[in-house]
Amino acid sequence: SMPPAMALQTAMIKLKQVPGMSSDLKSMEIANREMASEKSVAGSGATAVSLAEVEYAAGKSGVGANLTGDAKEKELLDFGRDAATNATAFGIELKASGEMLAAWRTSLKLDRAQSQNLADATSHLGKYSPKATAAEIGSVVQSSGEAGVAAGIAPEQLAALAASLLNADVDKATANASMKSISVALAKGRKGSAEERAAWATLGLQPDNLTDDVPQTLFRTLEALKKQPASQQAALLKTLFNGDEGVSKLLEKPQDVGQTFALL
């Protein structure tokens, strides 16, 4: 393997290729060296080289796309620090943490403060969840949070929904599909078909404001579905959630979903 000094030069040369970066990244190189020795960063096993690599990947994926020069350097340095902090909190590799954070920032369109709030919520939910880890919760939001954010659901609420599904013994692939079905169903609301609107009415919910209070909507939906006779329950699940497997699992204990959302 390359000597560290040479590896860092190589990583910094790559960083220069990100559009909008200035031609001299000496100060950024020094900042990465200093950052790697900070306690919250060092806990992730990050080095100046791996931080530069994560910053490069973030820049390529569109983080700070509208910035140039010093502002862009600061944005990517902050990203490197946040990725390392999350890697430590979630117990995952820096590279995986960088990919997760880049997806939150770009596909979920979150700014730095929003992504830090999401990381805090994810870490907290992971600590107090019987089965879901912070890494799994973050990964489900990374893969399938886009539909939820587009529906106007807060990122922290999506993390709680992901935790609820994982706690109900739903595997990650099913949890991803369920997050999308639930987000789409809540977003559709009054724009849904006559059959969908009638189904919400059967459950005692107004289809036009389903995303106003997501925890309340979900809890009421699950409670009302649980009370239906089996045949009617299956028909409503099919109409509203395409018969989603994850939603059926949540029906077993709606109170658990309520408790997970109460952690936020």
Side-chain angles (χ1 to χ4, degrees):
S1 69
M2 239 184 272
M6 215 165 128
L8 185 54
Q9 286 315 119
T10 309
M12 296 309 294
I13 288 166
K14 268 180 85 173
L15 249 176
K16 276 183 195 172
Q17 295 163 13
V18 174
M21 291 302 262
S22 49
S23 55
D24 178 29
L25 297 182
K26 198 70 202 157
S27 60
M28 193 171 182
E29 183 182 326
I30 294 165
N32 274 328
R33 284 180 195 270
E34 286 172 357
M35 200 195 311
S37 64
E38 287 172 24
K39 206 167 158 199
S40 63
V41 174
S44 68
T47 63
V49 176
S50 62
L51 286 167
E53 285 166 351
V54 157
E55 291 155 6
Y56 167 76
K60 289 298 271 188
S61 75
V63 173
N66 52 340
L67 302 171
T68 56
D70 290 353
K72 181 139 199 161
E73 283 185 34
K74 183 184 182 319
E75 185 84 355
L76 293 182
L77 282 166
D78 285 343
F79 182 96
R81 176 177 279 106
D82 295 344
T85 307
N86 294 355
T88 307
F90 300 170
I92 56 177
E93 296 284 323
L94 178 63
K95 187 172 187 280
S97 175
E99 283 163 6
M100 185 186 288
L101 184 57
W104 290 358
R105 294 286 301 269
T106 57
S107 69
L108 275 59
K109 301 184 175 58
L110 305 184
D111 62 22
R112 185 186 183 199
Q114 289 168 322
S115 68
Q116 285 179 307
N117 290 341
L118 173 56
D120 290 343
T122 299
S123 180
H124 185 70
L125 288 160
K127 262 196 205 90
Y128 295 98
S129 287
K131 295 179 179 162
T133 66
E136 290 169 331
I137 296 165
S139 161
V140 170
V141 176
Q142 170 185 356
S143 304
S144 54
E146 198 172 350
V149 170
I153 303 172
E156 294 84 348
Q157 293 180 338
L158 293 170
L161 176 53
S164 299
L165 288 158
L166 294 162
N167 285 331
D169 282 325
V170 173
D171 66 43
K172 244 163 61 171
T174 310
N176 282 328
S178 300
M179 289 267 286
K180 286 179 185 155
S181 331
I182 293 168
S183 296
V184 168
L186 298 188
K188 249 198 257 179
R190 61 169 168 244
K191 298 189 291 289
S193 65
E195 191 190 358
E196 286 164 339
R197 291 200 307 274
W200 286 116
T202 302
L203 296 176
L205 282 139
Q206 289 293 328
D208 49 1
N209 51 8
L210 297 170
T211 54
D212 290 358
D213 183 349
V214 172
Q216 189 60 21
T217 297
L218 271 175
F219 185 67
R220 285 180 57 196
T221 301
L222 295 169
E223 286 271 295
L225 274 168
K226 200 179 160 79
K227 292 190 182 111
Q228 302 289 328
S231 61
Q232 177 71 342
Q233 188 185 90
L236 287 163
L237 271 171
K238 190 156 175 30
T239 300
L240 293 174
F241 303 105
N242 297 322
D244 186 86
E245 192 189 325
V247 179
S248 319
K249 294 282 279 197
L250 292 180
L251 280 184
E252 293 167 24
K253 294 184 185 156
Q255 67 279 13
D256 287 2
V257 179
Q259 282 168 0
T260 302
F261 273 90
L263 290 169
L264 294 178

